[in-house]
């Protein structure tokens, strides 16, 4: 009995040592590679963004892994408010922020490079105001701040349709900004996040698919699963877009917007079912086929809103959707995708702002 | 299928599960098939030269054995030995050296001002050919010499040559060592499992954390057009650690995997950077190759049995051919000649060194040992410059840069090299002081540190940012 207890204690002690070593190693590793704090929370949500009364904002000089924000809490180089360049603001969510691209290869940086390419008169400055998780209807307070500080000539809206899954009331009508991002609380084990990423990148696809399906099943067990997003959600997106356009014009900004691009095009195929399962991991309440349907319907609404408001529209959906080589996952661009996006965006932005 | 690949992570457990559930005779057949699958995963066409030479060696050895048993003349046996040697060396020469000689001929022809077109053949080098030909050769030579009986079982012989842990990059196993283990039923001991797992973890750490992390630094220095002296110092130091981490890491994984199946491979590295002289270095670095060259080349050439000059000649021939074994390029010949040169120089200086050791006071002996180790390490590093360089021009420009080693020293790169190399140095120091290569068996090491050490090594191997690189010695 005593020997058995000793053995159990030995196993528990060894397990604790192993876990502690993994956690300490993770923290030292992050500190060495990314200058991350050894103690305290360190995550994408908490190291880069903070909740304010006006909604979610980037933390000035925030850093997390490869992502780094400037002194104003935006991705990209520091901006001199008194600078004389013509400014363009890109408003959107994670696709616009740039998750997979290299620091100087996200949509904003490549668009700026295009706008300032040889032969163009004057100089443009493109501000990446993409905040992962931000709904287009919640961007109004941000837009006011940007106008006040930088006096941009134009704004570009890139709405994310999946943000309206399960949403029936437009964000624009809400009194406080409402974001889906959770703030990390309590002790977080950094090692677990690393182990999760390692699992995702090393296990064979069938195993990953199975793991994802189990997770989706558990997440959606207690709530009804939708085949497609109801019309109210699409209408909420349309309303929010109208609202954002109206506010931008009230602030004196030229407006450009785009339909939403995705890796799959507008037709469901079993070939990319695995990728859709990956997308569904973020929204377990919608079946895989529902994402394609949502994209198609949302893009139609975006086109209608642009027509109705005489806004310059870039049809990213028609131009890029289904070109798998441009996407790092379901809807986020890789360096090449951001380059293709920027090549479409820059010519549409140029007439919107006469260089100072 | 690299050891550091996802495929191998699936392949190895499957092989181990099936292997341990089979009877001995079936185990051998299964391992041959698994090894063929492992080898064919690179390119199925590589299988044919391997099976061809192995089949020839099997029949040659059987014929030599039969010839001995029947009491036939030595000439009869020699005939079969020659068939085996010509087959193995012929395949090696064709696949590995054909284009090298054609290319060199082209240069000579051009230098002489002649306009003779020399063809260049489009030959793919079968992976590990240098290793398995030497291994197979040792078998027929040992049978010829009467040191070993030819095995009757075709499968047993195939397994000895094809066994996947050592097939592509050694250690070059002696047939006399491995065939005995193949023929006898194997029992895996608890100690073998412990040591095997230890070697696998340590091997992965050396390969992924040390070698692969340093590869970008080495590549950047050796691809620079005019690196400064400081950059060359850092690049060469990084390469010394990279090649050691890479090759000894591979060997450790191979030895560890073999142990999990009850096989014991020979030791291939024994703290080579702690060598105090060139001769000591070759008893510690790539031991399976250096002992092969000693037994099958240096000693047959006469070894050190003749005059001093003939010993020097034999040393130089052995080292130059050893250099050429590594690759079909002149820099490997130069590397071999360099090591031949320092071996000869050491022999010449030996009386003076012995005398110096005698007169040094006992208290200063540790410092003297450190001086010798450091001097030998510097010489070894210069050898690595010759080994890694891609042209004589590069050798010349880097050697010239080394005359000003402090110029343009990239401190950030140097600190990274030192930081990556620090765990290796610490562990090796412990191994050197204790004489225990399985360092977690060192007595004074508290037991509770073992889970910490292993976990830290596994973490570094799993989460290192280094992009996976192929093993350097696969190209040989």
């Amino acid at each position: 009995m005593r020997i058995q207890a000793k053995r159990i204690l030995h196993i528990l002690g060894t397990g604790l040592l192993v876990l502690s070593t993994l956690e300490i190693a993770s923290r030292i590793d992050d500190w060495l590679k990314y200058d991350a704090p050894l103690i305290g929370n360190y995550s994408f949500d908490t190291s880069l963004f903070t909740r304010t009364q006006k909604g979610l904002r980037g933390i000035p000089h925030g850093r997390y892994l490869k992502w780094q924000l400037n002194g104003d809490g935006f991705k990209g180089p520091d901006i001199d408010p008194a600078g004389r360049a013509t400014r363009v603001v890109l408003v959107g969510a994670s696709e616009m922020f740039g998750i997979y691209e290299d620091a100087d290869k996200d949509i904003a940086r490549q668009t700026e490079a295009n706008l300032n390419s040889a032969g163009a008169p004057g100089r443009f400055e493109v501000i990446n105001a993409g905040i992962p998780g931000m709904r287009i209807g919640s961007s109004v307070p941000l837009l006011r701040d940007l106008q006040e500080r930088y006096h941009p000539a134009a704004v570009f809206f890139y709405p994310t349709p999946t943000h309206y899954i399960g949403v029936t009331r437009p964000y624009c009508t809400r009194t406080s900004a409402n974001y889906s991002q959770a703030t990390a609380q309590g002790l977080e084990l950094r090692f677990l996040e690393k182990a999760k990423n390692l699992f995702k990148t090393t296990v064979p696809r069938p195993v990953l698919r199975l793991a994802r399906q189990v997770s989706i099943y558990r997440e959606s067990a207690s709530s009804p699963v939708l085949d497609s997003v109801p019309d109210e959600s699409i209408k909420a997106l349309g309303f929010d877009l109208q609202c954002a356009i109206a506010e931008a014009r009230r602030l004196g900004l030229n407006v450009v917007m785009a339909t939403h691009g995705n890796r799959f095009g507008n037709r469901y195929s079993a070939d990319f079912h695995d990728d859709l399962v990956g997308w569904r991991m973020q929204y377990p309440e919608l079946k895989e086929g529902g994402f394609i349907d949502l994209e198609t319907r949302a893009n139609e609404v975006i086109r209608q809103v642009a027509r109705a408001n005489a806004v310059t529209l870039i049809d990213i959906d028609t131009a890029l959707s289904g070109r798998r080589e441009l996407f790092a996952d379901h809807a986020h661009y890789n360096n090449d995708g951001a380059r293709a996006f920027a090549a479409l965006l820059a010519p549409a932005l140029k007439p919107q702002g006469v260089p100072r | 299928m690299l050891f550091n690949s996802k495929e191998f992570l699936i392949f190895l457990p499957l092989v181990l599960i099936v292997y341990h559930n089979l009877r001995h005779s079936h185990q051998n057949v299964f391992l041959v098939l698994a090894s063929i699958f492992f080898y064919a995963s690179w390119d199925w066409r590589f299988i044919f030269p391997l099976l061809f030479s192995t089949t020839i060696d099997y029949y040659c050895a059987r014929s030599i054995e039969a010839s001995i048993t029947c009491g036939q003349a030595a000439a009869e046996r020699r005939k079969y030995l020659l068939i085996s040697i010509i087959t193995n060396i012929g395949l090696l020469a064709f696949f590995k050296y054909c284009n090298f000689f054609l290319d060199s001929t082209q240069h000579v022809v051009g230098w002489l001002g002649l306009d003779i077109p020399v063809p260049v053949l489009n030959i793919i080098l079968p992976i590990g050919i240098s290793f398995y030909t030497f291994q197979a050769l040792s078998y027929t030579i040992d049978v010829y010499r009467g040191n070993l009986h030819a095995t009757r079982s075709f499968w047993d012989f195939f397994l000895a040559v094809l066994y996947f842990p050592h097939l592509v990059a050694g250690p070059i196993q002696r047939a006399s060592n491995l065939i005995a283990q193949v023929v006898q039923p194997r029992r895996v001991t608890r100690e073998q499992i412990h040591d095997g797992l230890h070697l696998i973890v340590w091997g992965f750490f050396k390969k992924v954390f040390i070698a692969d992390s340093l590869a970008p630094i080495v590549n950047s220095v050796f691809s620079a057009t005019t690196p400064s002296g400081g950059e060359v110092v850092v690049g060469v130091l990084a390469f010394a650690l990279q090649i050691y981490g890479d090759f000894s890491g591979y060997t450790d994984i191979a030895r560890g995997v073999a142990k999990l199946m009850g096989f014991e491979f020979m030791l291939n590295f024994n703290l080579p950077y702690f060598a105090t002289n060139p001769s000591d270095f070759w008893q510690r670095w790539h031991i399976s190759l250096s002992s092969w060259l000693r037994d099958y080349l240096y000693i047959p050439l006469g070894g050190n049995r003749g005059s001093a000059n003939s010993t020097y000649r034999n040393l130089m021939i052995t080292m130059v051919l050893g250099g050429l074994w590594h690759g079909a390029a002149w820099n490997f010949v130069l590397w071999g000649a360099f090591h031949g040169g320092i071996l000869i120089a050491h022999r010449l200086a030996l009386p003076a060194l012995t005398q110096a050791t005698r007169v040094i006071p006992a208290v200063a002996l540790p410092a003297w040992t450190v001086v010798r180790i450091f001097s030998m390490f510097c010489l070894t590093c210069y050898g690595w410059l010759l080994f890694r360089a891609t042209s004589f021009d590069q050798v010349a420009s880097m050697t010239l840069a080394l005359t000003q080693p402090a110029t343009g020293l990239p401190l950030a790169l140097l600190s990274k090299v030192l930081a990556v190399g620090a765990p290796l140095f610490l562990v090796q120091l412990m191994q050197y002081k204790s004489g225990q290569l399985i360092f977690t068996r060192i007595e004074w090491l508290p037991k509770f540190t073992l889970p910490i050490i292993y976990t830290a090594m596994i973490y570094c191997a799993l989460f290192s940012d280094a992009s996976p690189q192929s093993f350097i010695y696969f190209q040989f």
Side-chain angles (χ1 to χ4, degrees):
Chain A
M1 187 74 178
R2 214 172 140 179
I3 294 169
Q4 210 157 18
K6 215 172 156 182
R7 189 172 290 169
I8 290 168
L9 270 177
H10 179 76
I11 292 168
L12 283 176
T14 306
L16 197 67
L17 264 179
V18 167
L19 282 177
S20 310
T21 308
L22 284 172
E23 185 57 23
I24 292 166
S26 299
R27 284 169 185 262
I28 294 173
D29 192 19
D30 286 342
W31 174 62
L32 288 172
K33 283 182 194 154
Y34 307 109
D35 206 15
L38 278 171
I39 298 165
N41 287 332
Y42 182 63
S43 68
F44 187 84
D45 293 345
T46 58
S47 302
L48 292 176
F49 304 101
T50 182
R51 284 176 189 280
T52 69
Q53 290 207 322
K54 292 178 181 175
L56 202 62
R57 291 288 187 274
I59 297 170
H61 303 295
R63 280 184 73 173
Y64 178 70
L65 303 183
K66 68 172 184 176
W67 299 284
Q68 191 164 1
L69 306 184
N70 63 22
D72 291 334
F74 296 112
K75 199 163 162 240
D78 277 317
I79 308 148
D80 175 11
R84 293 182 55 80
T86 300
R87 299 212 170 97
V88 176
V89 174
L90 310 188
V91 174
S94 51
E95 305 94 316
M96 192 50 60
F97 177 81
I99 301 292
Y100 296 97
E101 302 98 307
D102 296 331
D104 58 342
K105 294 281 187 289
D106 62 24
I107 294 170
R109 297 284 63 79
Q110 300 211 54
T111 302
E112 187 177 86
N114 274 1
L115 287 169
N116 293 323
S117 59
R123 207 175 76 79
F124 282 85
E125 230 170 28
V126 177
I127 299 169
N128 183 348
I131 297 179
M134 187 167 71
R135 281 78 172 127
I136 215 71
S138 308
S139 65
V140 169
L142 174 70
L143 215 53
R144 290 181 194 137
D145 286 354
L146 288 164
Q147 165 61 11
E148 198 177 306
R149 188 162 171 76
Y150 303 119
H151 313 293
V155 61
F156 169 71
F157 290 119
Y158 189 61
T160 304
T162 46
H163 285 167
Y164 288 81
I165 294 171
V167 172
T168 50
R169 203 175 126 218
Y171 287 92
C172 213
T173 60
R174 302 183 190 191
T175 47
S176 62
N178 188 349
Y179 300 101
S180 64
Q181 280 184 306
T183 308
Q185 284 174 340
L187 178 73
E188 57 170 24
L189 289 176
R190 286 191 208 167
F191 166 68
L192 287 182
E193 190 61 27
K194 287 177 190 284
K196 215 164 79 181
N197 288 335
L198 183 73
F199 179 79
K200 277 197 277 191
T201 51
T202 51
V203 296
R205 285 182 76 88
V207 179
L208 184 62
R209 189 195 310 140
L210 186 69
R212 282 174 163 171
Q213 279 166 339
V214 169
S215 166
I216 288 168
Y217 176 77
R218 283 176 54 197
E219 289 278 327
S220 58
S222 57
S223 55
V225 176
L226 303 170
D227 283 321
S228 68
V229 170
D231 279 342
E232 304 92 83
S233 301
I234 308 288
K235 280 181 188 158
L237 166 67
F239 187 91
D240 274 351
L241 266 174
Q242 295 263 21
C243 182
I245 292 166
E247 182 64 16
R249 285 189 168 155
R250 193 186 68 74
L251 294 168
L253 304 174
N254 289 313
V255 181
V256 178
M257 54 194 258
T259 51
H260 192 256
N262 68 73
R263 190 177 200 179
F264 315 106
N266 290 318
R267 204 162 37 83
Y268 175 80
S269 158
D271 290 348
F272 41 72
H273 186 77
D274 280 1
D275 292 332
L276 283 168
V277 171
W279 204 353
R280 193 182 166 190
M281 281 288 287
Q282 294 171 18
Y283 306 95
E285 64 271 36
L286 182 64
K287 282 187 179 167
E288 285 80 4
F291 286 89
I292 305 284
D293 170 67
L294 167 64
E295 288 277 304
T296 309
R297 287 159 63 206
N299 281 329
E300 201 41 56
V301 165
I302 294 168
R303 289 185 190 102
Q304 283 169 15
V305 172
R307 266 197 305 273
N309 292 276
V311 168
T312 306
L313 179 83
I314 307 163
D315 203 339
I316 291 290
D317 177 43
T318 306
L320 305 184
S321 282
R323 291 178 60 186
R324 298 174 74 94
E325 74 280 8
L326 301 180
F327 292 88
D329 65 10
H330 43 268
H332 295 100
Y333 297 94
N334 55 27
N335 286 348
D336 291 340
R339 188 188 308 127
F341 196 116
L344 294 167
L345 178 56
L349 285 176
K350 209 165 242 180
Q352 307 297 326
V354 180
R356 295 174 199 179
Chain B
M1 195 189 308
L2 298 170
F3 280 175
N4 54 336
S5 69
K6 279 192 270 184
E7 292 79 12
F8 190 74
L9 280 180
I10 298 166
F11 173 80
L12 180 62
L14 284 178
V15 167
L16 288 174
I17 290 167
V18 176
Y19 173 82
H20 286 291
N21 283 291
L22 292 174
R23 288 207 328 261
H24 171 248
S25 57
H26 294 164
Q27 280 180 337
N28 287 358
V29 176
F30 170 71
L31 284 182
V32 170
L33 298 176
S35 299
I36 289 175
F37 175 80
F38 174 82
Y39 193 62
S41 68
W42 271 282
D43 191 329
W44 60 271
R45 291 170 298 179
F46 292 171
I47 285 291
F48 299 110
L50 172 65
L51 293 184
F52 173 71
S53 67
T54 312
T55 309
I56 296 282
D57 291 329
Y58 172 76
Y59 283 108
C60 284
R62 294 279 296 148
S63 303
I64 292 168
E65 177 90 359
S67 166
I68 294 170
T69 313
C70 298
Q72 287 175 332
E76 190 67 18
R77 300 202 298 272
R78 201 173 297 131
K79 188 175 76 187
Y80 292 113
L81 178 68
L82 275 175
I83 293 172
S84 170
I85 291 174
I86 290 168
T87 305
N88 284 291
I89 300 294
L91 277 174
L92 193 60
F94 174 74
F95 282 108
K96 192 163 178 175
Y97 300 106
C98 194
N99 273 337
F100 170 62
F101 286 118
L102 288 173
D103 191 45
S104 300
T105 309
Q106 175 83 66
H107 273 92
V108 173
V109 164
W111 184 68
L112 292 172
L114 301 172
D115 188 22
I116 304 168
V118 179
V120 174
L121 305 176
N122 188 18
I123 301 168
I124 306 170
L125 178 66
I127 198 159
I129 190 168
S130 305
F131 288 92
Y132 69 69
T133 47
F134 269 38
Q135 192 149 287
L137 269 178
S138 82
Y139 172 68
T140 40
I141 295 171
D142 280 355
V143 171
Y144 173 81
R145 287 174 175 174
N147 296 339
L148 181 72
H149 288 293
T151 179
R152 290 181 176 197
S153 164
F154 190 70
W155 289 103
D156 287 353
F157 175 63
F158 259 43
L159 178 56
V161 179
L162 267 65
Y163 186 37
F164 71 87
H166 71 73
L167 178 60
V168 290
I172 303 167
Q173 293 301 305
R174 295 300 172 83
S176 52
N177 172 41
L178 202 55
I179 283 183
Q181 297 182 54
V182 168
V183 174
Q184 295 296 323
R186 296 169 292 274
R187 279 196 61 223
V188 184
T189 63
R190 217 181 144 91
E191 198 174 43
Q192 275 180 314
I193 292 173
H194 170 272
D195 291 357
L197 291 174
H198 168 88
L199 286 169
I200 291 172
V201 173
W202 179 229
F204 269 112
F205 176 80
K206 283 194 280 188
K207 165 63 183 157
V208 180
F209 181 72
I210 295 173
D212 290 357
S213 298
L214 295 173
I217 297 175
V218 175
N219 294 341
S220 71
V221 171
F222 279 87
S223 60
T225 42
T226 49
S228 66
E231 286 171 332
V232 175
V233 168
V234 173
V236 171
L237 176 65
F239 184 62
L241 296 176
Q242 185 202 0
I243 195 164
Y244 176 67
D246 191 282
F247 193 19
S248 73
Y250 180 91
T251 300
D252 281 353
I253 299 167
R255 290 178 64 221
V257 168
K259 274 178 190 286
L260 296 182
M261 290 180 245
F263 287 93
E264 288 292 339
F265 283 178
M266 70 183 293
L267 187 68
N268 213 17
F269 293 91
N270 185 11
L271 312 176
Y273 293 151
F274 282 82
T276 51
N277 60 60
S279 170
D280 189 21
F281 177 79
W282 283 106
Q283 285 168 41
R284 293 168 176 271
W285 177 273
H286 203 172
I287 300 167
S288 64
L289 174 69
S290 52
S291 61
W292 195 101
L293 290 171
R294 181 196 62 208
D295 294 347
Y296 300 104
L297 184 60
Y298 178 67
I299 292 175
L301 281 171
N304 55 3
R305 293 189 300 273
S307 65
N309 281 342
S310 66
T311 301
Y312 302 150
R313 181 202 63 202
N314 296 339
L315 272 175
M316 189 53 87
I317 291 172
T318 306
M319 294 317 292
V320 166
L321 289 177
L324 199 58
W325 175 90
H326 283 81
W330 285 106
N331 65 305
F332 293 118
V333 175
L334 192 60
W335 176 73
F338 169 75
H339 272 282
I342 59 173
L343 277 166
I344 293 167
H346 176 251
R347 273 183 173 263
L348 289 167
L350 199 56
L353 287 169
T354 313
Q355 187 62 30
T357 309
R358 265 197 217 118
V359 296
I360 287 171
V363 285
L365 276 177
W368 174 234
T369 305
V370 171
V371 168
R372 288 163 69 201
I373 288 172
F374 180 74
S375 308
M376 186 56 217
F377 181 68
C378 291
L379 285 171
T380 308
C381 283
Y382 184 70
W384 292 135
L385 186 157
L386 306 176
F387 190 93
R388 179 62 175 76
T390 48
S391 67
F392 284 138
D393 286 346
Q394 191 175 30
V395 169
S397 70
M398 284 188 148
T399 305
L400 199 65
L402 277 179
T403 55
Q404 292 176 308
T407 309
L409 194 67
L411 290 174
L413 283 187
L414 179 63
S415 51
K416 180 167 184 189
V417 173
L418 295 177
V420 170
L424 181 71
F425 176 72
L426 283 177
V427 167
Q428 300 237 307
L429 198 61
M430 279 161 51
Q431 290 171 318
Y432 182 72
K433 296 293 277 181
S434 65
Q436 174 60 269
L437 289 180
I438 305 289
F439 58 88
T440 46
R441 285 194 187 282
I442 294 172
E443 277 177 12
W444 54 261
L445 208 64
K447 282 276 177 282
F448 76 90
T449 59
L450 300 188
I452 297 174
I453 291 171
Y454 283 121
T455 309
M457 286 199 297
I458 290 170
Y459 179 90
C460 291
L462 284 179
F463 296 104
S464 164
D465 271 353
S467 44
Q469 311 275 327
S470 180
F471 287 91
I472 294 173
Y473 265 66
F474 277 16
Q475 62 188 298
F476 309 139

